Amino acid sequence: MGDYLFPAEPRVRAIARELYEHVRALPIVSPHGHVDPATLADDRPFPDPARLLIVPDHYVTRLLVSQGVTPERLGVAPRDGGPYETDGRAIWRLLAEHWHAFRGTPSRMWLELTFRDVFGLGEVRLGPDTADEVYDAVAARLAEPGFRPRALFDRFGIEVLATTESPLDPLAHHDRLAADGWGRKVITTFRPDDVVDMDRPDWADNVRRLGELTGEDTEGFDGYLAALRARRAYFKARGATATDHGHPTARTAELAHEEAARLFKRRLAGPVPAADAEAFRAHMLVEFARMSLDDGLVMQLHPGPYRDHDAWLHARFGKDVGGDIPTATEYTRALKPLLDRFGHEPGFRLVVFTLDESTFTRELAPLAGVYPALYLGAPWWFLDSPEGLRRFRETVTETAGFYNTAGFVDDTRAFCSIPVRHQVARRIDAAFLARLVAEDRLPLDEAAETAADLAYHLAKRVYNL
Amino acid sequence: MGDYLFPAEPRVRAIARELYEHVRALPIVSPHGHVDPATLADDRPFPDPARLLIVPDHYVTRLLVSQGVTPERLGVAPRDGGPYETDGRAIWRLLAEHWHAFRGTPSRMWLELTFRDVFGLGEVRLGPDTADEVYDAVAARLAEPGFRPRALFDRFGIEVLATTESPLDPLAHHDRLAADGWGRKVITTFRPDDVVDMDRPDWADNVRRLGELTGEDTEGFDGYLAALRARRAYFKARGATATDHGHPTARTAELAHEEAARLFKRRLAGPVPAADAEAFRAHMLVEFARMSLDDGLVMQLHPGPYRDHDAWLHARFGKDVGGDIPTATEYTRALKPLLDRFGHEPGFRLVVFTLDESTFTRELAPLAGVYPALYLGAPWWFLDSPEGLRRFRETVTETAGFYNTAGFVDDTRAFCSIPVRHQVARRIDAAFLARLVAEDRLPLDEAAETAADLAYHLAKRVYNL
Amino acid sequence: MGDYLFPAEPRVRAIARELYEHVRALPIVSPHGHVDPATLADDRPFPDPARLLIVPDHYVTRLLVSQGVTPERLGVAPRDGGPYETDGRAIWRLLAEHWHAFRGTPSRMWLELTFRDVFGLGEVRLGPDTADEVYDAVAARLAEPGFRPRALFDRFGIEVLATTESPLDPLAHHDRLAADGWGRKVITTFRPDDVVDMDRPDWADNVRRLGELTGEDTEGFDGYLAALRARRAYFKARGATATDHGHPTARTAELAHEEAARLFKRRLAGPVPAADAEAFRAHMLVEFARMSLDDGLVMQLHPGPYRDHDAWLHARFGKDVGGDIPTATEYTRALKPLLDRFGHEPGFRLVVFTLDESTFTRELAPLAGVYPALYLGAPWWFLDSPEGLRRFRETVTETAGFYNTAGFVDDTRAFCSIPVRHQVARRIDAAFLARLVAEDRLPLDEAAETAADLAYHLAKRVYNL
């Protein structure tokens, strides 16, 4: 497994190995993720293997669902309080029984690498016959003190990990972490979607809570903006260096201030048409860019998913259970209003992610290849995979180079998978660079420097870490 | 030619060879095709080589047309009864003369493999100099009893072949085949487009004939639905395990029953706007899914082509002569109404095909990777090619795995190309799996099992064969 | 560097080398480019290295801009007459300082090959330490008579080079070239966008000048068409064999003559809505196709870019400074009106280029694979790169073959990069063909013939050179 993911051709493989050796031991910076900060604040032992590695990982549960396994049997709690499997071993056996469905997927790779590299299980293969053996071995490790969250964090070589929180979050876990001297290691990210997206049924409530939390009058648009600024400052004081925005589209727009204020008022009074919610989201991206200019927070945009597409899953199990599906996403026209305003503004940075690979050569690489403010985020979600990472470099590099990309971002809620996800990205980038070297397109020493930049330095620099 | 289509790198090639050896001799199941059932019912000797291999194959004639050869000269009969070439040898020489235009195309590969593997011509190369030699050799074979359709069917190792018929077809050929004991080997598929698609000028006539055929009152929507159910039962009794739906888009919708009934009535009275025809097609997909739940027929959807795009070809030579062109196709929103209704319904299966590769990582693999009912069909039409098959696995596997795909489907009307098309698909899948093995992403034994599933078992299972 | 860009696998590499050797020394035909004809008409020594290789090349300046270097510092003159860097060496040092941003880009490759193959600098690497050394070496060469434009033209092995001019251009440089016996070597191309595109503020002025130039009454649509025909004849007399049309979309349409005439009149009177300008552009493509039928000029269509997307760049530095961004482009429906009319017209040729790779397998290859009039242009702009050229063959060949493509077109204004751009395209095509040979998909002799056709003969034939 030492040559895992490297191309088979011996000369390219040798170069890839050499480049990877150069970056293998670099620290991990993880400027965008979804680990629950309570995990690290509490530092309690992890529960059983299934509740650590299966139940909360919707990449894993979704594929089992696609094979006809219902979420209840995987330990996912129904919203109606109905029964669900609580025996970790039973859940684990279901995974093992359907393990063939994971052939060729990154989920299988991440789990196998986690077994081997995090839990030290050697080359054991999961399957119906070995399910209990693997389960017991992982469970035994989880009982050891060296497998508590903070111990793993250090063993993983994580230098800094950013979590993602709503402006309504008091950040109590981050305060506890800071009190323990972990404030620089675990930071937050300002993710205001729940007070921005007027399509959410709880939007008005959230805006009211935002007012209470800040003492600003969020009955009016100016107070709302002031409250957002106040929360950004609060987040920044807890280490945040970035904001994150998850929108259905990449649309940006600059409404007249009065028009935005009117829209705001209208939604406080009741639901608005979808087009109004879209216009308000688009306008708020420009407002947030303006705030970033003031407070220096790096802006991230994750557009594209149709949230809760799977109505059956959503009705029974709620959000974030694997039922979101990407849609075609337009960037050239959508980002223009924001870039017209701030695309050449020194100090402003916008990192854009996509779920639509057809935009890489057509829109995103050309945009990032001219606007100083724009950086391309790493392949995200379904695209965070060996082939996805490879296609990203193959389609982006020629037009945008390496240095308009923002380094690898793992974007995961699966804490134990962080080091293996970075390992995979580093291996794929090493393989891509090795091909450039083997085809005389880049000298080895520059490839090595680039590999280190992609693995570590770029993310540090772009995210001000 | 033993290593045909395998990657050049020696280690990957050796693994690909081993995997292919594992599946080479597996029987062929062909659950979706367009072979004329009369060919097998009659079991007459094939006509000359040109009328077997060129004239009816619009993949071949279209490329010759693109090089300026008119269809008449290729033996395609004009609709106006005008003259056309009837000398097979003259047609064959035209192909040979333009053989360079086929370099790098699957049509050339299929024909060469057919010469070699079906007609045993050895490594002879087609070209202006060898046109007559090849023609005479193929013609000589065609005169032998071992080259009649049923003999070839058995020699090809075909276990089951599905043809495709309109609900208006009496299935007389299938009845004759059944009488000869071939009923399990050659089955039909229910393809109702000509009584569903209101854009067709003959729609109302077809609906009336549907009424006559079934004794249902197809002047009303309920009688129409009952008639469709009756024909499905009739088809099922002739072996059908699946339906097929060729639509311009993937749109599905559930209209109120009365609204659908009103639309139906309106079209019986005369033409309707394109949007109404689209709404009715979308609604009928949901109706057909509902029927599938009852009778267990697997549903197939082939969206995307702009039919008869080439007006010149269509006006002079009619339909299905190579003038259809794909369009961008949206799936995430389009399939939602149907999936909302039946996406988690046990026993319901929808196999979706596409001509728009940009949807693989963005829409189709994510959808198939969560909805139990949804399977991805093999690369179709222009995408049924070495590069198309390879890209399918490279873009689909990481998100949907192998086991949410439906196995290979040859979709051809060219009977003699069936074994070589399956050979090509098996080789490309072996090559893809070999890379996973060589990069330590899948153990050899699991790759071998997967290769066999992709080549044979998956299609059997998904199509209930 | 002898194996530059060839795949690493030794057998494929050996075949690629052999195929490339077959085409390496073939003459260059460059039927579509943007070299300033004054360069060759004047035949003056080139200015300093920076003003030759950096300042006018917006591929280079845009990437430096993306890294925060302002255009003024790169010697680009602001529109407001403000100051800008005029010291070539200072500009050159900026490039060297940011050289890492070009890793993996074709711009770096073209420049390195230009240093080595055009200026004979050996394997020296650009960088902050070597900036002056490289600058001085290039500057020294530029002072030699053998490095004047015409000497380079001959040394590059250019057989014919087409430039691109507006119908309003008197073509004085071409007349001077013809007087020197260079009329067959440097020809013009008829590019009428500035008298067609009603969105341009100067459209009405341009149409008036067109009238003055031709003596036709361009106050009316018929006179306008007559004037265009007259200018086409004028261009044809100066060697033009082609026209070129740069449109935001690929839309074509045939308006009623009176409707087009009314639109024309309306715009002469003042601005028209965007939809009218789009309709007029669409209609004019059909008019130009009709003219091509008469005068035999090959028609080229370059759709897709959002021009002057970067408002900051455009406001300060004008057009063509690297701020254009591609958009998604539809072809199947857009080209149908024109193809309905002329798609099977013997002697008519339309070469279509794209910036949207998702259309290759879905729309463009299927269209080119049936319409005799349609040829696919080489990967253009951001896609003129090793990976872009490779993907073009991988996505187009199976459906359209090689012989519905139009050969390589460099499309550059960077005169010194012409031979290296052709070198890169020839190497990538050799590599692609080598893979087909290594995988037993094409015999070596046919691959060699194809390589020569792609490198030279196809462009000659398609463009009537």
Side-chain angles (χ1 to χ4, degrees), chain B residues 4 62 108 309-310 326 357 385, chain C residues 332 336 344 361 366 371 398:
Chain B
Y4 200 69
R62 69 190 294 282
R108 166 162 169 154
H309 184 279
D310 191 320
E357 293 181 292
S385 65
Chain C
T332 301
K336 186 165 163 50
H344 289 268
T361 60
Y371 288 99
E398 294 185 319

Side-chain angles (χ1 to χ4, degrees), chain A residues 41 54 66 85 91 118 129 131 134 137 160 169 187 206 221 226 261 268 307 314 337 339 360 369 388 425:
Chain A
I54 305 177
S66 81
E85 184 60 71
I91 297 167
V118 177
D129 297 345
V134 175
V160 58
D169 193 303
I187 63 179
N206 294 339
F221 186 55
L268 275 187
R307 297 281 174 186
H314 183 235
L339 292 170
F360 278 139

Side-chain angles (χ1 to χ4, degrees), chain C residues 218-273:
Chain C
T218 58
E219 294 290 309
F221 186 55
D222 290 331
Y224 166 77
L225 293 178
L228 288 169
R229 272 190 225 101
R231 291 310 285 169
R232 289 170 69 106
Y234 188 89
F235 272 59
K236 197 174 165 183
R238 270 87 189 154
T241 70
T243 71
D244 186 36
H245 307 271
H247 283 202
T249 75
R251 204 179 138 203
T252 65
E254 197 165 11
L255 304 179
H257 188 78
E258 311 72 47
E259 170 59 14
R262 260 195 306 274
L263 240 172
F264 180 83
K265 277 290 194 194
R266 209 176 307 146
R267 177 62 181 87
L268 276 187
V272 294

Side-chain angles (χ1 to χ4, degrees), chain C residues 32-37 162-164 191 244 380 410-414:
Chain C
H32 178 98
H34 301 285
V35 167
D36 182 351
T163 64
T164 318
R191 169 101 173 217
D244 186 36
W380 169 46
D410 57 67
D411 196 26
T412 190
R413 62 193 69 221

Side-chain angles (χ1 to χ4, degrees), chain A residues 276-338:
Chain A
D276 283 356
E278 171 77 351
F280 190 74
R281 285 190 300 259
H283 176 77
M284 285 307 297
L285 289 178
V286 175
E287 291 286 357
F288 285 125
R290 200 187 326 271
M291 294 180 199
S292 278
L293 260 183
D294 290 338
D295 61 21
L297 294 183
V298 174
M299 192 169 174
Q300 298 174 93
L301 178 60
H302 285 82
Y306 189 125
R307 297 281 174 186
D308 308 319
H309 184 278
D310 190 321
W312 185 92
L313 271 182
H314 183 235
R316 282 162 191 74
F317 303 95
K319 300 186 77 66
D320 295 330
V321 287
D324 302 344
I325 304 290
T327 59
T329 306
E330 202 278 338
Y331 292 92
T332 301
R333 288 184 179 84
L335 293 179
K336 185 164 164 50
L338 191 152

Side-chain angles (χ1 to χ4, degrees), chain B residues 54-251:
Chain B
I54 304 177
V55 186
D57 187 343
H58 61 63
Y59 289 74
V60 175
T61 56
R62 69 190 294 282
L63 207 54
L64 290 166
V65 167
S66 80
Q67 295 289 305
V69 183
T70 58
E72 295 94 328
R73 298 181 63 208
L74 295 167
V76 182
R79 295 166 91 175
D80 65 4
Y84 60 98
E85 184 60 71
T86 55
D87 176 11
R89 188 179 299 272
I91 297 167
W92 191 262
R93 285 176 180 164
L94 270 175
L95 174 70
E97 191 187 313
H98 293 86
W99 195 229
H100 65 278
F102 289 84
R103 288 175 189 161
T105 67
S107 290
R108 166 162 169 154
M109 191 175 60
W110 294 327
L111 284 170
E112 286 185 337
L113 288 170
T114 300
F115 298 157
R116 192 193 69 174
D117 291 356
V118 177
F119 295 104
L121 300 203
E123 299 289 344
V124 62
R125 277 164 65 174
L126 188 62
D129 297 346
T130 58
D132 283 355
E133 180 192 342
V134 176
Y135 184 86
D136 290 334
V138 173
R141 294 293 196 211
L142 290 179
E144 298 173 17
F147 285 82
R148 290 211 181 167
R150 291 190 187 178
L152 284 177
F153 189 104
D154 287 334
R155 181 133 50 87
F156 290 169
I158 301 177
E159 193 174 293
V160 58
L161 173 77
T163 64
T164 316
E165 275 79 34
S166 156
L168 304 176
D169 193 303
L171 303 183
H173 303 305
H174 290 83
D175 283 343
R176 285 162 57 211
L177 281 159
D180 290 354
W182 278 63
R184 303 284 291 275
K185 292 166 92 168
V186 183
I187 63 179
T188 182
T189 302
F190 182 79
R191 169 99 174 220
D193 300 351
D194 55 3
V195 295
V196 167
D197 184 359
M198 292 180 166
D199 282 334
R200 299 176 61 114
D202 56 0
W203 181 84
D205 286 343
N206 294 340
V207 167
R208 268 175 216 114
R209 285 174 54 205
L210 181 67
E212 290 159 20
L213 208 58
T214 55
E216 299 287 346
D217 173 15
T218 58
E219 295 289 309
F221 186 55
D222 289 332
Y224 166 77
L225 293 178
L228 289 169
R229 271 188 225 102
R231 289 311 285 170
R232 290 171 68 106
Y234 187 89
F235 272 60
K236 196 175 166 182
R238 270 87 190 156
T241 71
T243 71
D244 186 36
H245 308 271
H247 283 203
T249 74
R251 203 179 139 205

Side-chain angles (χ1 to χ4, degrees), chain A residues 11-12 332 336 344 361-362 366 369 371-372 394 398 403-404 435 438-441 445-446 449-450, chain C residues 4-6 8 13 62 65-67 103 106 108 125 306 309-310 312 326 356-357 385-387 390-391:
Chain A
R11 197 162 70 89
V12 185
T332 301
K336 185 164 164 50
H344 288 268
T361 60
R362 189 179 63 213
Y371 288 99
E394 285 183 5
E398 294 185 318
Y403 291 87
N404 288 304
R435 183 157 75 84
E439 296 178 1
D440 282 332
R441 294 155 78 174
D445 59 341
E446 291 191 59
E449 187 182 284
T450 306
Chain C
Y4 200 70
L5 285 177
F6 294 154
R13 177 165 284 200
R62 70 189 292 283
V65 167
S66 81
Q67 296 288 307
R103 286 174 189 162
R108 166 163 168 154
R125 277 163 64 175
Y306 189 125
H309 184 279
D310 191 320
W312 185 92
D356 182 351
E357 293 182 292
S385 64
E387 305 298 326
R390 178 176 58 77
R391 284 194 300 266

Side-chain angles (χ1 to χ4, degrees), chain C residues 328-351:
Chain C
T329 307
E330 202 279 338
Y331 293 92
T332 301
R333 289 184 178 84
L335 293 178
K336 186 165 163 50
L338 191 153
L339 293 170
D340 278 353
R341 222 26 217 253
F342 306 113
H344 289 268
E345 209 53 74
F348 173 63
R349 283 193 205 121
L350 171 64
V351 184

